[in-house]
Amino acid sequence: MKDVFIFAIETSCDETSASIIKNGNVEIATVILSQIDIHKEYGGVVPEIASRNHTKAITLVFEECLKKANMTFDDIDFIAVTYGPGLNGALLVGIEAAKALSLATKKPLIKVNHMAGHIYANKFVGTFKFPLLALVVSGGHTELIYMDKEYSFKKIGSTLDDSIGEAYDKVARVIGISYPGGPLMDKLAKKGRHTYNLPAPKDDNSYDFSFSGIKSAVINLVHNEKQKGNGINKENLATSFQETVVGILVKKTKKAIKEYNVKQLLVAGGVSANSALRDALEKLCDELNVELLKPDIKYCTDNAAMIGAAAYYAYLNGQMADFSLDPNPGLDLD
Ligand code: KG4
Ligand code: ZN
């Protein structure tokens, strides 16, 4: 069969990224331009600023990606783009650039769900074995997804309020760590002990999650201690928070693996870079004799390589788009 080369574009949040992927699992070249330093001073991503910076950077990112791959658009078969979920204006920049490219090069357009992209980042580390379960943990989502074939997603549980990434970032902010707080919280947690008793979030028999309660508990704890003139042990608070949230993720994932009798567990999304979560899932999969796929750390957070991998299967699934494609900020996986 002829090789399929996909030029993939990702602009759903604060990374401007392009990638060339062969046959859905071979990375030819990827460029990721992060805007984190720009948004840091605001304590989070400012949508209007994200769109403006995507617009400024996108052509340069495309050019750099082709240069890195030593290819031209003549070598490309398809253009793929993230169309949701994400920030409306940010998505729009990628989508309009993709349409313009498709028009100019006459290469067909594939639309890709950003969360499918996170799951398909695992194509670079192993083969999918169905049925499988994906634990999707990102800045916007916390979901358990069941898949019995390629590019087919059934949501069996999700967060009822904040995502796990949001909880990490807000707790980090209240203890004085700048955005995005997740990676630094992870580092701090390695140095501490579980000394703060925090409420276990939605510790029940459902597959749904809730992280707003533990987030508020941490905020209240920090304020109360401050009022009493006491300090907070940041390391111990980070460990206590991390162990509590990882505990609930692992507990519900374990139940789902057993109930759905899956062959594989995939972890995906920005928070899948978390060392405690990776270790705990490793242990869980060993215990249950289920294979675990986890993305390379560099492809846990947003990037176009994962979009190129997902796009190959989206294409096989008929997910083509025309020039009427619009952003879908609230796009669901199923
Ligand atoms: O998937 P992602 O790049 O963006 C979305 O699609 O939302 O996820 C970003 C989130 C942020 O909340 C960030 O703090 C979190 O992933 N994150 C982490 C770690 N690395 C990134 N959270 C905990 N531990 C980490 N090591
Ligand atoms: Zn993401």
Side-chain angles (χ1 to χ4, degrees):
M1 215 169 86
K2 185 193 166 298
D3 288 333
V4 175
F5 290 90
I6 295 179
F7 187 89
I9 303 164
E10 158 63 37
T11 63
S12 68
C13 192
D14 59 345
E15 268 88 23
T16 318
S17 182
S19 180
I20 298 170
I21 301 297
K22 185 174 96 176
N23 301 337
N25 64 1
V26 181
E27 183 191 10
I28 308 295
T30 302
V31 175
I32 306 170
L33 187 74
S34 171
Q35 303 176 9
I36 281 181
D37 287 340
I38 300 169
H39 297 280
K40 224 174 208 157
E41 62 179 289
Y42 304 99
V45 177
V46 184
E48 164 65 23
I49 294 177
S51 317
R52 238 185 287 155
N53 282 285
H54 284 311
T55 310
K56 277 200 233 169
I58 199 155
T59 321
L60 298 169
V61 168
F62 289 176
E63 190 183 31
E64 178 72 24
C65 183
L66 286 170
K67 207 161 113 192
K68 217 169 154 182
N70 199 18
M71 289 169 90
T72 70
F73 280 111
D74 291 341
D75 307 310
I76 301 294
D77 298 293
F78 296 96
I79 310 290
V81 66
T82 304
Y83 74 112
L87 302 169
N88 195 44
L91 289 163
L92 189 62
V93 177
I95 290 174
E96 294 309 316
K99 286 183 199 169
L101 268 187
S102 173
L103 178 69
T105 61
K106 298 191 169 59
K107 312 288 175 179
L109 199 58
I110 306 168
K111 56 179 182 175
V112 180
N113 181 308
H114 178 79
M115 302 319 292
H118 276 302
I119 293 173
Y120 275 81
N122 283 297
K123 280 284 175 186
F124 300 116
V125 290
T127 312
F128 287 10
K129 294 179 190 131
F130 301 103
L132 63 79
L133 186 73
L135 172 65
V136 183
V137 280
S138 75
H141 293 76
T142 308
E143 293 173 348
L144 277 167
I145 303 288
Y146 176 82
M147 294 175 69
D148 59 4
K149 56 179 188 288
E150 293 287 5
Y151 222 78
S152 159
F153 312 96
K154 183 174 167 243
K155 198 194 296 176
I156 64 167
S158 67
T159 182
L160 303 177
D161 41 57
D162 290 356
S163 74
I164 175 87
E166 246 176 299
Y168 258 103
D169 294 341
K170 284 185 186 153
V171 165
R173 187 145 95 177
V174 89
I175 61 172
I177 298 171
S178 67
Y179 173 84
L184 255 173
M185 284 276 290
D186 190 2
K187 269 195 194 142
L188 270 187
K190 282 195 181 120
K191 298 183 201 148
R193 286 182 305 121
H194 190 153
T195 56
Y196 292 99
N197 197 9
L198 299 169
K202 203 159 167 42
D203 191 2
D204 58 17
N205 268 332
S206 76
Y207 290 121
D208 290 329
F209 302 96
S210 164
F211 296 105
S212 68
I214 189 167
K215 177 196 74 186
S216 305
V218 172
I219 294 171
N220 290 339
L221 180 104
V222 173
H223 287 167
N224 289 342
E225 291 301 309
K226 235 185 216 165
Q227 264 172 356
K228 286 190 230 155
N230 298 335
I232 280 282
N233 183 314
K234 290 184 184 182
E235 285 86 0
N236 288 351
L237 186 57
T239 312
S240 307
F241 172 79
Q242 181 150 291
E243 284 190 4
T244 309
V245 294
V246 167
I248 202 76
L249 288 172
V250 171
K251 186 174 175 183
K252 296 207 171 187
T253 303
K254 180 177 183 174
K255 185 171 179 271
I257 289 176
K258 285 183 173 174
E259 186 183 331
Y260 287 83
N261 203 13
V262 293
K263 294 199 176 102
Q264 231 177 13
L265 174 70
L266 273 52
V267 62
V271 184
S272 66
N274 186 269
S275 59
L277 180 62
R278 290 169 87 92
D279 290 351
L281 293 176
E282 194 89 62
K283 234 168 97 189
L284 174 70
C285 288
D286 274 354
E287 179 195 327
L288 300 180
N289 207 11
V290 163
E291 190 185 352
L292 173 68
L293 294 186
K294 39 189 183 1
D296 281 350
I297 297 287
K298 66 176 192 281
Y299 293 146
C300 287
T301 44
D302 294 349
N303 65 86
M306 67 184 198
I307 301 303
Y312 180 71
Y313 296 91
Y315 150 66
L316 295 177
N317 216 275
Q319 299 284 311
M320 307 308 293
D322 59 25
F323 296 150
S324 68
L325 181 67
D326 270 332
N328 187 343
L331 182 66
D332 234 331
L333 257 182
D334 67 354

